[in-house]
Amino acid sequence: PPSCPLSLAVEEVTENSFTLTWKAPEQTGRAGLDGYVVEICKDGSSAWTAVNQEPFLSTRCTVPNLSSGDKVQVRVVAVGAGGTSVPATLEQPVLVREILQLPKIRMPRHLRETYIRRVGDAVNIMIPFQGKPQPEVSWTKGGQPLDASRIHIRTTARDTVFYIRQAQRGDSGQYELAVRINGAEDTATLHIQVVEPPGPPQNLKLVDVWGFNVALEWSPPADNGNSEIKGYRVQKSDKKSGKWFTVLERCSRTSCTVSDLIIGNTYSFRVFAENACGLSDSAALAPALASIHKTKTTYQAEKVPQRDMMEPPKFTQPLTDRTTTRGYSTHLFCSVRGFPQPKIIWLKNQMEIREDPKYIALIEQGVCSLEIRKPGPFDGGVYTCKAVNALGEASVDCRLDVKGEI
């Protein structure tokens, strides 16, 4: 047989009828579902009467021809080739009288998310609703009745007020509100979180001191104040002034490095934890002090065999072909490295350029340049830069074309 229909509820009640809705069962049986049969019974009687003689497949049914003021028990069964399901039954009988306005909770926008209050604060929440005739209003917490010694409920025709004089962390949780009229109901959930400042971080210790820096580590607080830890505030205090200064806010990790400390000062460090309620009332204090000393450095030349530093000439940037205009000075550039510093020789068409006022050769930081002053047609050709030291030589060349004036 199929399983029981789901979510049976009253959709509407009039002066002489009511309308039911439900959902299909999870299991319909191997042969499938023939339909549903709705049965009613007047409250106080045990005689059940089928509203429909033949099963139908709709999940909505209006029960007509009732008398105003009747209280009617209702159940629905699913019927298949394999038999009849266990009935789905309304918990309360339906009172047949016209519902002029269905129950509806108007949950304020700010209460649709978790409502956060501090320990000791008052919780005063008003939730409006609608419905005619006067709805029945009920509150529960986790499905259980409320503790009337702590939580006070006041309900009028239009709203319900939820009040706690001094909130405690135990008041946190999920509260359910239900508004009912003759089996028709609307429900809403209120999430309350009562928080307080967290405890201080634990096991704060000075891990390392080097140069102008200090490394700190700590553990999360034992009590987070019923709220997630948002971060940590790290402070320093130098022994001379004794004042505390914040060096990090909302540090998300449980370790940090404090930099830019001053030589000659001795520092203390402390760390606060922070949650939605604010900073912890006290801080974790590092038991050790950090003294920033001036470090004496003695330069010692690295003992490297001289041969390891020696290098034959090698051009890191070659010459590039150039075209210039007659009468306009031009420069040729290349880069070379080597140790000892190589001697630079410039050649034109394989002939060494000696002391000629037309040419100015320079080398600076490994960059070799040759200036050709006001070149003429005969200054064109192949220019070569040769670098020579005790380990070898290297050369690069390029072509220079000199065109007539434009």
Side-chain angles (χ1 to χ4, degrees), residues 140-144 146 171-176 188-192:
T140 54
K141 180 183 180 183
Q144 300 299 317
L146 302 186
D171 297 322
S172 302
Q174 177 175 298
Y175 294 83
E176 302 88 19
T189 302
L190 174 65
H191 295 274
I192 295 179

Side-chain angles (χ1 to χ4, degrees), residues 56 61 78 85 173 279 400:
F56 57 79
C61 174
S85 73
L279 293 176
L400 176 67

Side-chain angles (χ1 to χ4, degrees), residues 34-284:
D34 293 338
Y36 305 95
V37 173
V38 178
E39 298 177 329
I40 61 173
C41 170
K42 287 196 175 182
D43 194 30
S45 169
S46 59
W48 289 92
T49 306
V51 174
N52 53 309
Q53 298 302 321
E54 295 295 327
F56 57 79
L57 288 169
S58 173
T59 57
R60 187 173 185 272
C61 174
T62 298
V63 180
N65 305 323
L66 301 171
S67 301
S68 180
D70 283 351
K71 283 188 176 181
V72 181
Q73 300 277 2
V74 181
R75 66 186 185 188
V76 178
V77 294
V79 180
T84 301
S85 73
V86 174
T89 307
L90 281 178
E91 292 183 5
Q92 300 291 331
V94 178
L95 176 61
V96 181
R97 60 171 177 170
E98 187 172 10
I99 298 178
L100 300 176
Q101 187 179 48
L102 287 172
K104 181 69 176 176
I105 298 171
R106 302 292 184 187
M107 181 67 83
R109 184 180 298 274
H110 71 282
L111 297 178
R112 295 175 192 172
E113 299 179 355
T114 301
Y115 182 74
I116 300 176
R117 302 297 289 170
R118 293 183 62 138
V119 168
D121 286 354
V123 177
N124 192 3
I125 295 172
M126 184 182 74
I127 301 177
F129 58 83
Q130 65 184 34
K132 289 183 182 179
Q134 174 70 40
E136 176 192 345
V137 177
S138 65
W139 283 91
T140 54
K141 180 183 180 183
Q144 300 299 317
L146 302 186
D147 180 359
S149 65
R150 293 202 45 76
I151 303 170
H152 306 280
I153 303 296
R154 180 182 58 80
T155 300
T156 69
R158 295 185 179 180
D159 56 53
T160 180
V161 176
F162 179 103
Y163 180 71
I164 302 174
R165 185 179 299 278
Q166 289 184 320
Q168 300 298 324
R169 281 169 63 166
D171 297 322
S172 302
Q174 177 175 298
Y175 294 83
E176 302 88 19
L177 169 64
V179 178
R180 301 184 185 89
I181 303 177
N182 299 347
E185 75 171 11
D186 190 23
T187 59
T189 302
L190 174 65
H191 295 274
I192 295 179
Q193 185 177 358
V194 182
V195 302
E196 60 185 334
Q202 296 183 301
N203 307 319
L204 175 61
K205 57 185 176 181
L206 197 63
V207 179
D208 196 8
V209 180
W210 74 102
F212 311 105
N213 311 291
V214 167
L216 301 171
E217 282 184 0
W218 60 89
S219 302
D223 180 10
N224 66 359
N226 200 33
S227 177
E228 181 184 359
I229 299 296
K230 291 185 174 182
Y232 300 92
R233 179 176 295 183
V234 182
Q235 295 185 334
K236 68 178 180 181
S237 171
D238 66 90
K239 196 172 182 180
K240 293 179 181 178
S241 70
K243 295 181 180 179
W244 289 98
F245 297 93
T246 298
V247 291
L248 280 174
E249 285 193 279
R250 292 282 178 95
C251 176
S252 58
R253 297 177 298 162
T254 55
S255 63
C256 73
T257 299
V258 181
S259 303
D260 300 327
L261 301 175
I262 298 172
I263 287 177
N265 281 4
T266 299
Y267 291 92
S268 300
F269 296 92
R270 68 183 185 184
V271 179
F272 292 87
E274 185 176 4
N275 65 6
C277 200
L279 293 176
S280 54
D281 293 330
S282 60

